[in-house]
Amino acid sequence: MHKLIAGVDEVGRGPLVGDVVTAAVILDPENPIEGLTDSKKLSEKKRVALAQEIREKALYWNIGRASPEEIDKLNILHATMLAMIRAVEGLPVRPDFVRVDGNRVPAWNFESEAVVKGDSLHAEISAASIIAKVERDNDMISLHEAYPQYNFAGHKGYPTKAHFEAIAEYGILDCYRKSFKPVKALLEEK
């Protein structure tokens, strides 16, 4: 029996809108996946294809989220840690060890380590990075379909010039993170 090592990563700490999304993935050492790396280094087409392959070949995977309301209540760091806990605790098995991308691990009862740039160093973290990114991008595509005037599919919720122009013209939706400075400042102007 191989040691069950889960990789964990997050996507969406910087955007002004939507959930912060995390993933936990336990890869199958007998069924390797070619091309795993940091999701930011992959084209969208390659990410989507790899996400599908990860979902099919990994032993286990799970998505964890924290909502804009939780982000506003807890702050983005603590909400991200909460989403990571949800991702790992939602796995159908308890991992023997957890590798988390970044410089800290959540307060949990798993043997674990934080690995800076782990999404480029460990396949299980790369896999988590990819499925979390595709999941959050899909959230933004759904939001774009509901509110095309904001172009969420284009900027993915990040604070771009075009995004600020859309907010100025159409206002702030319920799915915005109201504690984030640019959003908070616009709300205080009203």
Side-chain angles (χ1 to χ4, degrees):
M1 177 71 184
H2 294 283
K3 194 172 182 187
L4 295 175
I5 300 173
V8 178
D9 202 0
E10 58 71 28
V11 175
R13 284 178 67 161
L16 305 176
V17 65
D19 295 352
V20 62
V21 177
T22 63
V25 178
I26 299 174
L27 293 173
D28 181 353
E30 305 298 319
N31 204 357
I33 300 168
E34 293 297 316
L36 293 178
T37 188
D38 175 0
S39 66
K40 294 180 287 300
K41 295 178 180 173
L42 298 167
S43 69
E44 185 172 1
K45 184 178 178 185
K46 183 70 174 164
R47 262 196 315 270
V48 169
L50 277 169
Q52 185 61 40
E53 189 176 356
I54 293 161
R55 290 168 190 250
E56 291 167 5
K57 290 185 174 179
L59 292 174
Y60 308 101
W61 61 271
N62 189 46
I63 300 291
R65 299 169 166 274
S67 68
E69 295 79 19
E70 289 171 317
I71 293 166
D72 290 340
K73 183 179 173 193
L74 299 172
N75 80 33
I76 189 61
L77 174 64
H78 290 98
T80 301
M81 295 295 133
L82 176 62
M84 287 182 175
I85 291 167
R86 289 172 174 163
V88 176
E89 289 183 349
L91 290 166
V93 298
R94 182 178 173 85
D96 299 306
F97 192 77
V98 183
R99 286 193 177 108
V100 178
D101 185 54
N103 60 3
R104 62 181 68 200
V105 296
W108 57 18
N109 292 316
F110 297 99
E111 189 179 336
S112 57
E113 70 176 339
V115 184
V116 175
K117 298 196 187 311
D119 48 6
S120 296
L121 300 171
H122 295 285
E124 61 274 7
I125 299 176
S126 300
S129 139
I130 291 164
I131 65 170
K133 172 76 172 137
V134 170
E135 183 82 5
R136 184 166 152 86
D137 284 356
N138 287 340
D139 290 355
M140 292 298 103
I141 291 165
S142 296
L143 207 53
H144 179 86
E145 289 166 359
Y147 305 99
Q149 66 274 29
Y150 286 83
N151 189 29
F152 291 116
H155 54 66
K156 305 291 195 275
Y158 284 91
T160 65
K161 184 174 185 276
H163 190 181
F164 284 125
E165 289 168 359
I167 294 170
E169 187 168 349
Y170 303 109
I172 293 169
L173 302 168
D174 286 343
C175 52
Y176 275 88
R177 301 170 180 182
K178 294 166 184 68
S179 61
F180 277 38
K181 282 183 184 165
V183 178
K184 191 174 185 179
L186 289 167
L187 287 170
E188 287 169 356
E189 284 175 16
K190 295 189 181 230

